[in-house]
Amino acid sequence: MESGEDRRQEKRRKRRCLILAVIAVILLVVILAIVLGVTLRKRKDDFNTKFMERCQKFKGYNCQKIWDAFQQAYVNRDRCDVPTEAYDPLIATAPFESLCNRTMFWSKTKNVVHDFTRGNDCFKTVEDTLLGSVLNGLEWCGKNGSSETFTTGCPKWEECEKSAVRSFWNRVSAAFGDFACGNVTVMLNGSIDTPFSPTSIFASIEMKKFKSPKVKNLNVVLVIQKNSVTNCTNESLKNLMMGLDKGIGYHCFEVPE
Ligand SMILES: *[C@@H]1O[C@H](CO)[C@@H](O)[C@H](O)[C@H]1NC(C)=O
Ligand SMILES: *[C@@H]1O[C@H](CO)[C@@H](O)[C@H](O)[C@H]1NC(C)=O
Ligand SMILES: *[C@@H]1O[C@H](CO)[C@@H](O)[C@H](O)[C@H]1NC(C)=O
Ligand SMILES: *[C@@H]1O[C@H](CO)[C@@H](O)[C@H](O)[C@H]1NC(C)=O
Ligand SMILES: *[C@@H]1O[C@H](CO)[C@@H](O)[C@H](O)[C@H]1NC(C)=O
Ligand SMILES: *[C@@H]1O[C@H](CO)[C@@H](O)[C@H](O)[C@H]1NC(C)=O
């Protein structure tokens, strides 16, 4: 019968279509996986490349060794469980150059302070040091059970106290504060109600490292803009002065931007 032959042919055609469809889906999945894999690898390599490029601007350091010490701090750790001490080996691998009388700290004056230190060689912020400049503006984290570096989906600053990024900045800031000697300068913002905030990194970490007689003076540069609301008489600056180690001199200068 014709209709029986037709049905068999129809069945075969359907089966062929099904097989083709399955092959197409498999191909699509494979292509997607390759594209995704390349993108992810590229993103990771971009991070490593940027790290190396920025590091190599500083002469006389072993950047591969610094990268290895950097990675061991956070890889294979939970994203919110990186203690500041994890970065101790990194700090030891890339010591600061001598900066006596030339360290500049800042709080809430990020843009102005870097324009200022870039324009002259007298003062250096932590972002002008090797570690600070290499990692400035970057995002990274690890994952428990993985040896990879991730550069997206990492915890935001406020999300956890012991993120890879936050612990790094806390550790490098402490090292920079420890390193300060002679005259130390801090640039504060006169346009905000409380230029010296006890919760800032400067107040809670860096300033606590200033010890007399290694540190002689703390010179506050209070940046005054048109809309400034405070001056050197502000109460928060008195708190700063009172919080200094005994023997360290305090001076405040109101400086127009
Ligand atoms: C730092 O300044 C002090 C004076 O405050 C001076 O005695 C000392 O030699 C200076 N150190 C350097 C390295 O310039
Ligand atoms: C001070 O803080 C204000 C408000 O956040 C900001 O607009 C201004 O740029 C800051 N000043 C400096 C010198 O960074
Ligand atoms: C990390 O993973 C290990 C086993 O894979 C587990 O025992 C440990 O509790 C995990 N740590 C955290 C902080 O999640
Ligand atoms: C250190 O700071 C004090 C107080 O501002 C100043 O009198 C002195 O000249 C400064 N010394 C150096 C070397 O910058
Ligand atoms: C400093 O600011 C206070 C108000 O915060 C004001 O009373 C005082 O006159 C100002 N002093 C100077 C020297 O501008
Ligand atoms: C000055 O400092 C005090 C105490 O830290 C703060 O409460 C006050 O609002 C500040 N600003 C001005 C403009 O008085």
Side-chain angles (χ1 to χ4, degrees):
M1 293 283 286
E2 239 183 38
S3 63
E5 179 63 24
D6 272 358
R7 229 177 285 134
R8 239 173 284 130
Q9 245 174 18
E10 174 73 9
K11 236 189 222 165
R12 233 178 282 137
R13 204 175 56 79
K14 269 191 184 156
R15 199 178 305 141
R16 226 176 287 135
C17 277
L18 193 70
I19 289 171
L20 277 179
V22 167
I23 289 174
V25 166
I26 290 174
L27 271 177
L28 203 69
V29 167
V30 168
I31 288 169
L32 265 178
I34 290 172
V35 168
L36 206 64
V38 167
T39 320
L40 287 179
R41 168 145 333 128
K42 192 163 169 295
R43 215 178 276 155
K44 202 182 92 209
D45 287 350
D46 281 351
F47 184 81
N48 174 269
T49 304
K50 194 173 277 173
F51 187 106
M52 286 300 180
E53 273 171 10
R54 289 179 175 185
C55 179
Q56 273 146 12
K57 291 209 183 93
F58 292 78
K59 301 288 168 234
Y61 290 90
N62 181 341
C63 290
Q64 185 59 47
K65 220 172 123 195
I66 294 172
W67 168 257
D68 293 341
F70 167 67
Q71 275 202 306
Q72 66 76 40
Y74 62 86
V75 291
N76 201 15
R77 278 188 209 266
D78 196 77
R79 58 209 286 280
C80 285
D81 191 26
V82 180
T84 50
E85 306 86 71
Y87 286 103
D88 288 357
L90 174 65
I91 301 288
T93 314
F96 300 124
E97 53 177 323
S98 167
L99 288 172
C100 216
N101 297 332
R102 299 200 295 143
T103 47
M104 166 78 81
F105 296 82
W106 59 271
S107 182
K108 303 275 168 60
T109 52
K110 190 167 187 159
N111 298 327
V112 171
V113 78
H114 293 128
D115 286 346
F116 179 75
T117 57
R118 218 175 294 130
N120 76 49
D121 209 31
C122 294
F123 292 101
K124 298 278 181 212
T125 63
V126 69
E127 290 81 9
D128 298 313
T129 67
L130 185 149
L131 290 177
S133 76
V134 163
L135 292 161
N136 198 10
L138 299 186
E139 183 187 335
W140 69 93
C141 57
K143 195 165 135 188
N144 194 11
S146 162
S147 60
E148 278 191 62
T149 296
F150 299 89
T151 55
T152 52
C154 294
K156 298 276 161 282
W157 186 272
E158 311 76 30
E159 208 175 306
C160 39
E161 277 183 32
K162 291 183 178 176
S163 67
V165 171
R166 197 160 160 179
S167 287
F168 165 75
W169 285 109
N170 286 346
R171 183 64 190 89
V172 76
S173 299
F176 199 58
D178 242 340
F179 191 72
C181 64
N183 274 6
V184 175
T185 309
V186 61
M187 195 180 271
L188 300 178
N189 190 332
S191 303
I192 55 178
D193 199 42
T194 309
F196 176 71
S197 160
T199 57
S200 63
I201 287 190
F202 174 68
S204 63
I205 296 176
E206 293 168 331
M207 195 185 113
K208 294 210 165 111
K209 301 287 182 182
F210 301 166
K211 295 290 174 228
S212 175
K214 194 172 136 207
V215 172
K216 301 264 184 292
N217 292 289
L218 177 68
N219 295 323
V220 174
V221 171
L222 188 64
V223 179
I224 303 297
Q225 295 169 303
K226 272 195 225 76
N227 55 344
S228 281
V229 294
T230 53
N231 53 40
C232 280
T233 67
N234 182 264
E235 194 68 27
S236 78
L237 296 172
K238 298 227 169 65
N239 298 340
L240 189 167
M241 184 172 71
M242 306 294 273
L244 281 174
D245 193 29
K246 294 243 169 337
I248 298 180
Y250 166 89
H251 305 266
C252 181
F253 304 92
E254 292 165 10
V255 179
E257 183 186 357

Short mmCIF file of all heavy atoms in Angstrom, two decimals, residues 105-159:
data_model
loop_
_atom_site.label_atom_id
_atom_site.label_comp_id
_atom_site.label_asym_id
_atom_site.label_seq_id
_atom_site.Cartn_x
_atom_site.Cartn_y
_atom_site.Cartn_z
N PHE A 105 49.06 61.83 53.27
CA PHE A 105 47.84 61.07 53.50
C PHE A 105 46.67 61.94 53.07
O PHE A 105 46.82 63.15 52.87
CB PHE A 105 47.74 60.67 54.98
CG PHE A 105 48.87 59.75 55.38
CD1 PHE A 105 50.11 60.25 55.72
CD2 PHE A 105 48.68 58.38 55.38
CE1 PHE A 105 51.16 59.40 56.06
CE2 PHE A 105 49.71 57.52 55.71
CZ PHE A 105 50.95 58.03 56.07
N TRP A 106 45.52 61.33 52.93
CA TRP A 106 44.36 62.12 52.49
C TRP A 106 43.08 61.44 52.94
O TRP A 106 43.06 60.24 53.23
CB TRP A 106 44.36 62.28 50.97
CG TRP A 106 44.33 60.99 50.21
CD1 TRP A 106 45.41 60.25 49.81
CD2 TRP A 106 43.17 60.25 49.77
NE1 TRP A 106 45.00 59.12 49.16
CE2 TRP A 106 43.64 59.09 49.11
CE3 TRP A 106 41.79 60.47 49.87
CZ2 TRP A 106 42.76 58.14 48.55
CZ3 TRP A 106 40.92 59.53 49.32
CH2 TRP A 106 41.41 58.39 48.66
N SER A 107 42.03 62.24 53.02
CA SER A 107 40.72 61.71 53.31
C SER A 107 39.69 62.61 52.66
O SER A 107 39.68 63.82 52.90
CB SER A 107 40.52 61.65 54.83
OG SER A 107 39.27 61.09 55.14
N LYS A 108 38.88 62.04 51.78
CA LYS A 108 37.83 62.78 51.06
C LYS A 108 38.39 63.89 50.17
O LYS A 108 37.71 64.87 49.90
CB LYS A 108 36.81 63.38 52.05
CG LYS A 108 36.15 62.37 52.97
CD LYS A 108 34.96 61.73 52.29
CE LYS A 108 34.43 60.51 53.05
NZ LYS A 108 33.99 60.82 54.40
N THR A 109 39.63 63.74 49.73
CA THR A 109 40.20 64.73 48.80
C THR A 109 40.89 64.00 47.64
O THR A 109 41.85 64.51 47.06
CB THR A 109 41.24 65.63 49.51
OG1 THR A 109 42.19 64.80 50.19
CG2 THR A 109 40.60 66.58 50.48
N LYS A 110 40.39 62.83 47.32
CA LYS A 110 41.06 61.94 46.36
C LYS A 110 41.49 62.63 45.06
O LYS A 110 42.63 62.47 44.63
CB LYS A 110 40.13 60.77 46.03
CG LYS A 110 40.83 59.68 45.25
CD LYS A 110 40.02 58.39 45.20
CE LYS A 110 40.86 57.31 44.55
NZ LYS A 110 40.42 55.97 44.87
N ASN A 111 40.57 63.38 44.45
CA ASN A 111 40.91 63.96 43.14
C ASN A 111 42.00 65.02 43.25
O ASN A 111 42.98 64.99 42.52
CB ASN A 111 39.66 64.54 42.50
CG ASN A 111 38.63 63.46 42.25
OD1 ASN A 111 38.99 62.31 41.98
ND2 ASN A 111 37.36 63.79 42.39
N VAL A 112 41.80 65.93 44.18
CA VAL A 112 42.76 67.03 44.31
C VAL A 112 44.14 66.52 44.75
O VAL A 112 45.16 66.92 44.21
CB VAL A 112 42.23 68.07 45.32
CG1 VAL A 112 43.30 69.10 45.64
CG2 VAL A 112 41.00 68.75 44.75
N VAL A 113 44.17 65.57 45.68
CA VAL A 113 45.47 65.14 46.22
C VAL A 113 46.31 64.47 45.14
O VAL A 113 47.52 64.67 45.08
CB VAL A 113 45.29 64.23 47.47
CG1 VAL A 113 44.90 62.81 47.11
CG2 VAL A 113 46.58 64.20 48.29
N HIS A 114 45.68 63.72 44.24
CA HIS A 114 46.49 63.04 43.22
C HIS A 114 46.91 63.98 42.10
O HIS A 114 48.01 63.83 41.57
CB HIS A 114 45.74 61.80 42.70
CG HIS A 114 45.62 60.75 43.78
ND1 HIS A 114 44.43 60.17 44.13
CD2 HIS A 114 46.55 60.25 44.61
CE1 HIS A 114 44.64 59.34 45.14
NE2 HIS A 114 45.91 59.37 45.44
N ASP A 115 46.08 64.97 41.81
CA ASP A 115 46.53 66.01 40.88
C ASP A 115 47.76 66.69 41.46
O ASP A 115 48.72 67.00 40.77
CB ASP A 115 45.42 67.07 40.68
CG ASP A 115 44.29 66.53 39.81
OD1 ASP A 115 44.50 65.49 39.16
OD2 ASP A 115 43.22 67.15 39.80
N PHE A 116 47.71 66.89 42.77
CA PHE A 116 48.80 67.58 43.45
C PHE A 116 50.08 66.76 43.47
O PHE A 116 51.15 67.24 43.10
CB PHE A 116 48.36 67.93 44.88
CG PHE A 116 49.42 68.62 45.68
CD1 PHE A 116 49.71 69.96 45.44
CD2 PHE A 116 50.12 67.94 46.65
CE1 PHE A 116 50.69 70.60 46.18
CE2 PHE A 116 51.11 68.57 47.39
CZ PHE A 116 51.39 69.91 47.16
N THR A 117 50.02 65.47 43.87
CA THR A 117 51.24 64.69 43.97
C THR A 117 51.78 64.32 42.59
O THR A 117 52.98 64.11 42.43
CB THR A 117 51.04 63.39 44.79
OG1 THR A 117 50.00 62.61 44.20
CG2 THR A 117 50.70 63.70 46.23
N ARG A 118 50.91 64.26 41.58
CA ARG A 118 51.39 63.98 40.24
C ARG A 118 52.20 65.16 39.72
O ARG A 118 53.17 65.00 39.01
CB ARG A 118 50.20 63.70 39.30
CG ARG A 118 50.50 62.60 38.30
CD ARG A 118 49.26 62.26 37.48
NE ARG A 118 48.20 61.66 38.28
CZ ARG A 118 46.94 62.06 38.29
NH1 ARG A 118 46.56 63.10 37.57
NH2 ARG A 118 46.04 61.44 39.01
N GLY A 119 51.78 66.36 40.13
CA GLY A 119 52.43 67.57 39.64
C GLY A 119 53.77 67.88 40.29
O GLY A 119 54.50 68.72 39.80
N ASN A 120 54.07 67.24 41.39
CA ASN A 120 55.39 67.49 41.99
C ASN A 120 55.93 66.21 42.60
O ASN A 120 55.18 65.30 42.93
CB ASN A 120 55.31 68.63 43.02
CG ASN A 120 54.67 68.18 44.32
OD1 ASN A 120 55.03 67.15 44.88
ND2 ASN A 120 53.73 68.95 44.82
N ASP A 121 57.23 66.17 42.74
CA ASP A 121 57.87 64.94 43.18
C ASP A 121 58.12 64.96 44.70
O ASP A 121 58.72 64.05 45.24
CB ASP A 121 59.18 64.75 42.42
CG ASP A 121 59.52 63.27 42.27
OD1 ASP A 121 58.57 62.46 42.20
OD2 ASP A 121 60.71 62.94 42.25
N CYS A 122 57.65 66.02 45.37
CA CYS A 122 57.97 66.17 46.79
C CYS A 122 57.13 65.23 47.65
O CYS A 122 57.62 64.68 48.62
CB CYS A 122 57.71 67.60 47.24
SG CYS A 122 58.82 68.76 46.45
N PHE A 123 55.85 65.07 47.31
CA PHE A 123 54.96 64.27 48.15
C PHE A 123 54.47 63.02 47.44
O PHE A 123 54.25 63.02 46.23
CB PHE A 123 53.75 65.12 48.57
CG PHE A 123 54.11 66.23 49.51
CD1 PHE A 123 54.25 67.54 49.06
CD2 PHE A 123 54.34 65.97 50.86
CE1 PHE A 123 54.60 68.57 49.93
CE2 PHE A 123 54.68 66.99 51.73
CZ PHE A 123 54.82 68.29 51.26
N LYS A 124 54.32 61.94 48.24
CA LYS A 124 53.82 60.68 47.69
C LYS A 124 52.65 60.18 48.55
O LYS A 124 52.75 60.12 49.78
CB LYS A 124 54.90 59.61 47.74
CG LYS A 124 56.12 59.94 46.89
CD LYS A 124 55.92 59.62 45.43
CE LYS A 124 57.16 59.93 44.63
NZ LYS A 124 56.84 60.35 43.26
N THR A 125 51.56 59.82 47.87
CA THR A 125 50.46 59.14 48.56
C THR A 125 50.66 57.64 48.40
O THR A 125 51.52 57.20 47.63
CB THR A 125 49.10 59.50 47.93
OG1 THR A 125 49.10 59.03 46.58
CG2 THR A 125 48.85 60.99 47.97
N VAL A 126 49.87 56.87 49.11
CA VAL A 126 50.00 55.41 49.00
C VAL A 126 49.69 54.96 47.57
O VAL A 126 50.27 53.99 47.07
CB VAL A 126 49.10 54.69 50.05
CG1 VAL A 126 47.63 54.85 49.73
CG2 VAL A 126 49.45 53.22 50.15
N GLU A 127 48.86 55.72 46.85
CA GLU A 127 48.54 55.37 45.46
C GLU A 127 49.69 55.68 44.51
O GLU A 127 49.65 55.29 43.36
CB GLU A 127 47.28 56.12 44.99
CG GLU A 127 45.99 55.66 45.63
CD GLU A 127 45.77 56.25 47.01
OE1 GLU A 127 46.54 57.15 47.40
OE2 GLU A 127 44.85 55.80 47.71
N ASP A 128 50.71 56.39 45.00
CA ASP A 128 51.89 56.64 44.17
C ASP A 128 52.97 55.58 44.40
O ASP A 128 53.95 55.53 43.66
CB ASP A 128 52.49 58.02 44.49
CG ASP A 128 51.52 59.15 44.19
OD1 ASP A 128 50.93 59.13 43.09
OD2 ASP A 128 51.34 60.04 45.05
N THR A 129 52.80 54.72 45.41
CA THR A 129 53.77 53.65 45.65
C THR A 129 53.49 52.49 44.70
O THR A 129 52.43 52.46 44.07
CB THR A 129 53.68 53.13 47.10
OG1 THR A 129 52.42 52.46 47.27
CG2 THR A 129 53.82 54.24 48.12
N LEU A 130 54.40 51.56 44.61
CA LEU A 130 54.22 50.44 43.67
C LEU A 130 52.90 49.72 43.90
O LEU A 130 52.04 49.65 43.02
CB LEU A 130 55.40 49.47 43.76
CG LEU A 130 55.36 48.33 42.73
CD1 LEU A 130 56.77 47.90 42.35
CD2 LEU A 130 54.58 47.12 43.22
N LEU A 131 52.70 49.20 45.10
CA LEU A 131 51.51 48.39 45.36
C LEU A 131 50.23 49.21 45.19
O LEU A 131 49.25 48.74 44.60
CB LEU A 131 51.57 47.77 46.76
CG LEU A 131 52.62 46.68 46.95
CD1 LEU A 131 52.63 46.21 48.39
CD2 LEU A 131 52.36 45.51 46.00
N GLY A 132 50.25 50.44 45.70
CA GLY A 132 49.06 51.28 45.60
C GLY A 132 48.71 51.61 44.16
O GLY A 132 47.55 51.56 43.77
N SER A 133 49.72 51.91 43.34
CA SER A 133 49.42 52.30 41.97
C SER A 133 49.06 51.08 41.12
O SER A 133 48.24 51.18 40.22
CB SER A 133 50.59 53.07 41.35
OG SER A 133 51.62 52.19 41.00
N VAL A 134 49.66 49.94 41.42
CA VAL A 134 49.35 48.73 40.64
C VAL A 134 47.89 48.32 40.85
O VAL A 134 47.20 47.94 39.91
CB VAL A 134 50.29 47.56 41.05
CG1 VAL A 134 49.74 46.23 40.57
CG2 VAL A 134 51.68 47.77 40.47
N LEU A 135 47.38 48.46 42.06
CA LEU A 135 46.04 47.94 42.37
C LEU A 135 44.97 49.02 42.44
O LEU A 135 43.79 48.71 42.63
CB LEU A 135 46.11 47.13 43.67
CG LEU A 135 46.92 45.85 43.45
CD1 LEU A 135 47.40 45.26 44.76
CD2 LEU A 135 46.11 44.83 42.68
N ASN A 136 45.36 50.27 42.22
CA ASN A 136 44.40 51.37 42.30
C ASN A 136 43.26 51.17 41.30
O ASN A 136 43.49 50.97 40.12
CB ASN A 136 45.12 52.69 42.02
CG ASN A 136 44.32 53.89 42.50
OD1 ASN A 136 43.33 53.74 43.21
ND2 ASN A 136 44.75 55.07 42.11
N GLY A 137 42.03 51.21 41.80
CA GLY A 137 40.86 51.12 40.92
C GLY A 137 40.52 49.71 40.46
O GLY A 137 39.55 49.54 39.73
N LEU A 138 41.29 48.71 40.86
CA LEU A 138 41.01 47.34 40.41
C LEU A 138 40.12 46.60 41.41
O LEU A 138 40.03 46.96 42.58
CB LEU A 138 42.31 46.56 40.20
CG LEU A 138 43.28 47.11 39.14
CD1 LEU A 138 44.44 46.16 38.94
CD2 LEU A 138 42.56 47.37 37.83
N GLU A 139 39.47 45.56 40.88
CA GLU A 139 38.57 44.72 41.67
C GLU A 139 39.04 43.28 41.50
O GLU A 139 39.33 42.86 40.39
CB GLU A 139 37.15 44.89 41.11
CG GLU A 139 36.07 44.15 41.84
CD GLU A 139 34.72 44.25 41.10
OE1 GLU A 139 34.53 45.22 40.35
OE2 GLU A 139 33.89 43.36 41.29
N TRP A 140 39.17 42.57 42.59
CA TRP A 140 39.58 41.16 42.48
C TRP A 140 39.09 40.39 43.70
O TRP A 140 38.80 40.98 44.74
CB TRP A 140 41.12 41.07 42.38
CG TRP A 140 41.83 41.42 43.63
CD1 TRP A 140 42.22 40.58 44.63
CD2 TRP A 140 42.22 42.74 44.06
NE1 TRP A 140 42.84 41.29 45.64
CE2 TRP A 140 42.84 42.61 45.33
CE3 TRP A 140 42.10 44.03 43.50
CZ2 TRP A 140 43.35 43.70 46.04
CZ3 TRP A 140 42.60 45.11 44.22
CH2 TRP A 140 43.22 44.94 45.46
N CYS A 141 39.00 39.07 43.56
CA CYS A 141 38.68 38.21 44.70
C CYS A 141 38.97 36.77 44.33
O CYS A 141 39.19 36.45 43.15
CB CYS A 141 37.22 38.38 45.14
SG CYS A 141 36.00 38.07 43.86
N GLY A 142 38.95 35.91 45.32
CA GLY A 142 39.13 34.48 45.10
C GLY A 142 37.86 33.75 45.49
O GLY A 142 36.82 34.36 45.73
N LYS A 143 37.97 32.43 45.52
CA LYS A 143 36.81 31.61 45.85
C LYS A 143 37.32 30.37 46.57
O LYS A 143 38.34 29.80 46.15
CB LYS A 143 36.10 31.22 44.55
CG LYS A 143 34.72 30.68 44.73
CD LYS A 143 34.04 30.70 43.37
CE LYS A 143 33.31 29.43 43.08
NZ LYS A 143 32.81 29.39 41.70
N ASN A 144 36.64 30.00 47.63
CA ASN A 144 37.01 28.79 48.36
C ASN A 144 36.99 27.59 47.42
O ASN A 144 36.01 27.38 46.72
CB ASN A 144 36.04 28.58 49.52
CG ASN A 144 36.55 27.57 50.52
OD1 ASN A 144 37.72 27.16 50.47
ND2 ASN A 144 35.69 27.16 51.44
N GLY A 145 38.07 26.82 47.38
CA GLY A 145 38.11 25.63 46.54
C GLY A 145 38.55 25.91 45.11
O GLY A 145 38.48 25.02 44.28
N SER A 146 39.01 27.14 44.81
CA SER A 146 39.46 27.46 43.46
C SER A 146 40.80 28.18 43.52
O SER A 146 41.06 28.94 44.45
CB SER A 146 38.42 28.36 42.78
OG SER A 146 39.00 29.00 41.66
N SER A 147 41.64 27.95 42.51
CA SER A 147 42.94 28.64 42.51
C SER A 147 42.91 29.83 41.56
O SER A 147 43.94 30.37 41.18
CB SER A 147 44.04 27.66 42.08
OG SER A 147 43.75 27.19 40.78
N GLU A 148 41.71 30.26 41.19
CA GLU A 148 41.59 31.34 40.21
C GLU A 148 41.43 32.71 40.85
O GLU A 148 41.03 32.84 42.00
CB GLU A 148 40.38 31.08 39.31
CG GLU A 148 40.69 30.12 38.18
CD GLU A 148 39.55 30.09 37.17
OE1 GLU A 148 39.27 31.15 36.56
OE2 GLU A 148 38.94 29.02 37.02
N THR A 149 41.73 33.74 40.04
CA THR A 149 41.46 35.12 40.41
C THR A 149 40.21 35.56 39.67
O THR A 149 40.13 35.41 38.46
CB THR A 149 42.63 36.04 40.00
OG1 THR A 149 43.78 35.65 40.74
CG2 THR A 149 42.32 37.50 40.27
N PHE A 150 39.25 36.07 40.38
CA PHE A 150 38.03 36.58 39.75
C PHE A 150 38.08 38.11 39.76
O PHE A 150 38.59 38.71 40.71
CB PHE A 150 36.80 36.08 40.49
CG PHE A 150 36.70 34.57 40.48
CD1 PHE A 150 37.31 33.82 41.48
CD2 PHE A 150 36.05 33.90 39.46
CE1 PHE A 150 37.25 32.43 41.47
CE2 PHE A 150 35.98 32.52 39.44
CZ PHE A 150 36.59 31.77 40.44
N THR A 151 37.56 38.72 38.69
CA THR A 151 37.61 40.18 38.62
C THR A 151 36.23 40.79 38.41
O THR A 151 36.11 41.98 38.21
CB THR A 151 38.54 40.63 37.47
OG1 THR A 151 38.09 40.03 36.26
CG2 THR A 151 39.97 40.20 37.72
N THR A 152 35.21 39.95 38.46
CA THR A 152 33.85 40.49 38.44
C THR A 152 33.05 39.78 39.54
O THR A 152 33.42 38.68 39.96
CB THR A 152 33.14 40.26 37.09
OG1 THR A 152 33.24 38.87 36.78
CG2 THR A 152 33.77 41.07 35.99
N GLY A 153 31.99 40.40 39.96
CA GLY A 153 31.13 39.80 40.98
C GLY A 153 31.79 39.72 42.34
O GLY A 153 31.37 38.93 43.19
N CYS A 154 32.82 40.53 42.57
CA CYS A 154 33.48 40.54 43.88
C CYS A 154 32.69 41.41 44.84
O CYS A 154 31.95 42.29 44.41
CB CYS A 154 34.90 41.05 43.73
SG CYS A 154 35.93 39.92 42.76
N PRO A 155 32.83 41.18 46.16
CA PRO A 155 32.05 41.96 47.13
C PRO A 155 32.35 43.46 47.03
O PRO A 155 33.50 43.84 46.84
CB PRO A 155 32.48 41.41 48.49
CG PRO A 155 33.43 40.31 48.24
CD PRO A 155 33.67 40.16 46.79
N LYS A 156 31.33 44.26 47.17
CA LYS A 156 31.52 45.71 47.23
C LYS A 156 32.17 46.07 48.56
O LYS A 156 32.14 45.30 49.51
CB LYS A 156 30.16 46.43 47.10
CG LYS A 156 29.47 46.16 45.79
CD LYS A 156 29.97 47.11 44.70
CE LYS A 156 29.66 46.61 43.29
NZ LYS A 156 30.56 45.56 42.79
N TRP A 157 32.74 47.28 48.62
CA TRP A 157 33.49 47.73 49.80
C TRP A 157 32.69 47.54 51.09
O TRP A 157 33.19 47.02 52.08
CB TRP A 157 33.89 49.20 49.63
CG TRP A 157 34.78 49.70 50.71
CD1 TRP A 157 34.40 50.24 51.90
CD2 TRP A 157 36.21 49.68 50.71
NE1 TRP A 157 35.49 50.58 52.65
CE2 TRP A 157 36.63 50.23 51.95
CE3 TRP A 157 37.18 49.25 49.80
CZ2 TRP A 157 37.97 50.38 52.29
CZ3 TRP A 157 38.52 49.40 50.15
CH2 TRP A 157 38.90 49.95 51.38
N GLU A 158 31.41 47.96 51.07
CA GLU A 158 30.59 47.93 52.30
C GLU A 158 30.11 46.52 52.61
O GLU A 158 29.64 46.26 53.72
CB GLU A 158 29.35 48.83 52.16
CG GLU A 158 29.60 50.24 51.66
CD GLU A 158 29.86 50.28 50.16
OE1 GLU A 158 29.32 49.42 49.44
OE2 GLU A 158 30.61 51.16 49.71
N GLU A 159 30.20 45.63 51.63
CA GLU A 159 29.57 44.32 51.77
C GLU A 159 30.21 43.48 52.87
O GLU A 159 29.51 42.81 53.62
CB GLU A 159 29.62 43.59 50.44
CG GLU A 159 28.51 42.61 50.22
CD GLU A 159 28.58 42.03 48.82
OE1 GLU A 159 28.61 42.82 47.85
OE2 GLU A 159 28.62 40.81 48.70
#
